[in-house]
Amino acid sequence: MIPKSVSEHLEEYICQEVYVQIAVIKGKDKGTTKAAINKYFSSNHFRDLSEGRPFDHFIDGLKDKCLGKLINSPMRNTKSEDEVILELQNKLNTLDEAKLNDTYWEIETGEYLSGAQVKELENQRDEMIKNLDLSKDQKKSDTVYETIISFCKKYEDLCKVKYPEAPLPLEISKNLI
């Protein structure tokens, strides 16, 4: 199971990216949120999202921070008072090589993930790709639209908690298009 803090961090990143792109389109065109979302579907940003690129970027970042890459690091035995360095040293000095090669550090949250958890992220990416497939089928297009709305609503809900005074340009929660 993926740590909740990692899932929330990734979800917030994706929702924010989608929300900002749609808000920019809406602001530029001075149109409705629905029109902005429909225009977003033809953007490079949506293409990248629907191909799973935010997940790929996140997963690649995790793989770059595999603890196995630090096996021969001089950091293993360097004196430090930094809590993060001390935690890394502890892992490097207590885990066996196989475990180090299967441990990935997510810097933003400070969590460590296993290869199985990275595979879960890959499965979530694949599921998102399926949910964002804009085929000619009208039902499928409606599903994609609702998925984008859900990203925007989640971001607005998050903003209401983090930044209660900030204006919300799409007002998804109010309008529910």
Side-chain angles (χ1 to χ4, degrees):
M1 184 165 196
I2 300 166
K4 185 178 179 186
S5 60
V6 172
S7 293
E8 287 174 349
H9 173 70
L10 181 57
E11 181 179 65
E12 180 179 336
Y13 169 73
I14 291 171
C15 291
Q16 178 183 13
E17 286 292 309
V18 169
Y19 192 92
V20 168
Q21 291 297 317
I22 293 169
V24 167
I25 293 168
K26 182 180 179 183
K28 243 197 260 186
D29 293 354
K30 308 280 188 247
T32 65
T33 299
K34 185 173 187 170
I37 292 171
N38 286 325
K39 189 169 184 179
Y40 174 69
F41 289 146
S42 62
S43 71
N44 289 335
H45 190 275
F46 177 75
R47 185 201 65 226
D48 289 348
L49 178 70
S50 67
E51 292 173 355
R53 295 240 169 90
F55 270 94
D56 290 339
H57 178 73
F58 188 80
I59 292 165
D60 290 345
L62 281 173
K63 289 179 178 176
D64 282 345
K65 291 161 204 79
C66 177
L67 296 190
K69 292 181 177 185
L70 298 173
I71 287 174
N72 297 317
S73 171
M75 182 186 75
R76 282 182 99 149
N77 300 310
T78 303
K79 291 271 186 212
S80 178
E81 292 183 25
D82 184 284
E83 288 181 35
V84 174
I85 299 294
L86 292 172
E87 184 178 354
L88 277 170
Q89 286 176 330
N90 182 49
K91 292 229 183 260
L92 289 170
N93 293 322
T94 58
L95 298 176
D96 65 36
E97 188 173 339
K99 190 74 172 159
L100 288 171
N101 285 322
D102 190 49
T103 302
Y104 305 88
W105 182 33
E106 203 295 298
I107 292 176
E108 294 294 324
T109 62
E111 298 281 358
Y112 294 91
L113 282 77
S114 67
Q117 290 169 315
V118 172
K119 183 68 179 152
E120 277 184 68
L121 287 169
E122 290 169 343
N123 292 340
Q124 286 180 5
R125 175 203 57 212
D126 295 346
E127 189 62 31
M128 184 186 75
I129 289 170
K130 277 192 250 174
N131 289 336
L132 294 175
D133 177 21
L134 266 179
S135 61
K136 300 292 180 209
D137 178 10
Q138 184 59 44
K139 268 188 185 174
K140 189 65 180 158
S141 294
D142 291 345
T143 301
V144 175
Y145 183 82
E146 290 304 318
T147 300
I148 296 299
I149 289 291
S150 75
F151 287 152
C152 292
K153 183 164 179 5
K154 284 176 189 172
Y155 187 67
E156 283 191 356
D157 290 345
L158 177 74
C159 285
K160 286 176 189 174
V161 172
K162 283 187 164 182
Y163 319 104
E165 301 301 317
L168 300 169
L170 301 182
E171 297 184 313
I172 297 288
S173 301
K174 272 187 192 173
N175 297 331
L176 279 180
I177 305 161

